[in-house]
Amino acid sequence: MHKLFVATLGVASLASVGCANANLFTVEDDIELGQQLSDEIAASPDDYPVIARADAPDAYTELERIKNSVLSSDDIVYRDEFAWELKIIDDDETLNAFAAPGGFMYVYTGLIRFLDREDDLAGVLGHEIAHADRRHSTEQLTKAYGISALIAVLLGDDPGLLAELAAGLASLQFSRTDESEADAWSVRYLCDTDYAANGAAEFFRKLDGASVPAFLSTHPNPENRVEAIDALALELGCSTEAYGEGRYQQLLDGLP
Ligand SMILES: [Zn+2]
């Protein structure tokens, strides 16, 4: 499928656009779009106060150890192709994490501080890794921008358009199906590690009682997500024993 896109820049594969999960972009496009978005974020410190590695080396070391554990799952399709870069955004008020295509990921200090266990952060990272690895962003872009705009990008007719698409990525909403799929992959990834496979559910459990952040308001009901995550972990026979409880403090202590 991807080979066809690479070889023909999408034109010959137009026939496949009608199907449900059409993605007109190549894997290389995912990486290029993600890199562009990452560059824009780096150039917008007022909106995205990214913490430099030099300012929190211990936090980055801990975070990367957790990230690499999740990435060790053999369910990751683009482990060798994508960047799998993870940066911390200094904003204690924001309970969020997000992933640009190509594996450029961000996690807010608000989310890190909100959680108590490595397992739970691993679950959230698994969810974000899944959005990138299953290429949800470029799938949504294909839907949002229509075929003619994307053909122009693919043919190189409109160089400005790729930058515009990268900018559009920041406000792109994933579908409920994408969210459920990312939750399910998070369980599968963590099942291959020492972490509790249902770590992603803990975020939603903890939210219970706290006000639901705006970014979740259009997402599947948190209760349903907890149930679905727990049920899948059980069905797959994965461990749900907490593994990384003791070490989480090191990550917290490493934050500025
Ligand atoms: Zn998501």
Side-chain angles (χ1 to χ4, degrees):
M1 191 84 157
H2 296 136
K3 262 204 187 93
L4 184 66
F5 289 158
V6 172
T8 64
L9 294 174
V11 177
S13 54
L14 272 181
S16 69
V17 172
C19 66
N21 291 313
N23 192 331
L24 271 179
F25 293 86
T26 64
V27 170
E28 290 73 19
D29 289 333
D30 276 49
I31 297 167
E32 194 178 343
L33 278 166
Q35 184 65 62
Q36 290 212 22
L37 190 64
S38 167
D39 291 346
E40 276 176 39
I41 287 172
S44 318
D46 289 345
D47 293 328
Y48 300 100
V50 172
I51 299 175
R53 169 177 286 278
D55 293 332
D58 295 345
Y60 272 103
T61 300
E62 288 298 300
L63 203 56
E64 270 152 20
R65 184 176 52 74
I66 302 168
K67 177 194 76 177
N68 289 334
S69 297
V70 181
L71 285 173
S72 72
S73 166
D74 58 11
D75 288 324
I76 315 275
V77 179
Y78 300 107
R79 184 172 40 194
D80 298 331
E81 287 86 352
F82 284 180
W84 304 121
E85 213 178 81
L86 179 57
K87 290 184 176 154
I88 308 171
I89 299 177
D90 191 5
D91 176 357
D92 285 349
E93 304 305 312
T94 303
L95 298 179
N96 204 1
F98 64 93
F104 297 87
M105 302 181 289
Y106 297 85
V107 57
Y108 284 80
T109 52
L111 178 66
I112 297 173
R113 292 188 200 280
F114 178 73
L115 300 172
D116 309 296
R117 311 183 308 176
E118 250 183 62
D119 306 59
D120 309 334
L121 187 61
V124 171
L125 294 183
H127 177 98
E128 297 307 327
I129 287 169
H131 277 315
D133 198 54
R134 311 312 294 186
R135 305 183 63 216
H136 289 158
S137 289
T138 42
E139 200 177 286
Q140 290 299 321
L141 280 179
T142 304
K143 276 185 207 152
Y145 285 83
I147 296 156
S148 53
L150 298 179
I151 293 293
V153 170
L154 294 166
L155 294 176
D157 286 352
D158 186 349
L161 200 52
L162 195 64
E164 195 187 311
L165 290 181
L169 279 173
S171 57
L172 205 66
Q173 293 267 1
F174 290 122
S175 68
R176 286 174 173 232
T177 311
D178 287 348
E179 291 306 331
S180 302
E181 197 183 303
D183 285 348
W185 281 109
S186 178
V187 172
R188 291 173 191 276
Y189 300 156
L190 265 64
C191 198
D192 292 340
T193 72
D194 292 325
Y195 292 121
N198 61 346
E202 189 61 21
F203 171 64
F204 299 110
R205 266 193 209 102
K206 278 203 82 175
L207 274 181
D208 192 46
S211 63
V212 174
F215 81 98
L216 281 175
S217 60
T218 58
H219 287 48
N221 181 319
E223 277 168 39
N224 295 347
R225 293 178 75 172
V226 168
E227 279 171 25
I229 289 167
D230 285 344
L232 183 61
L234 189 68
E235 185 193 321
L236 297 175
C238 309
S239 166
T240 53
E241 289 285 313
Y243 164 74
E245 223 154 4
R247 293 192 65 161
Y248 199 63
Q249 195 59 39
Q250 283 175 250
L251 171 53
L252 294 170
D253 290 344
L255 293 176

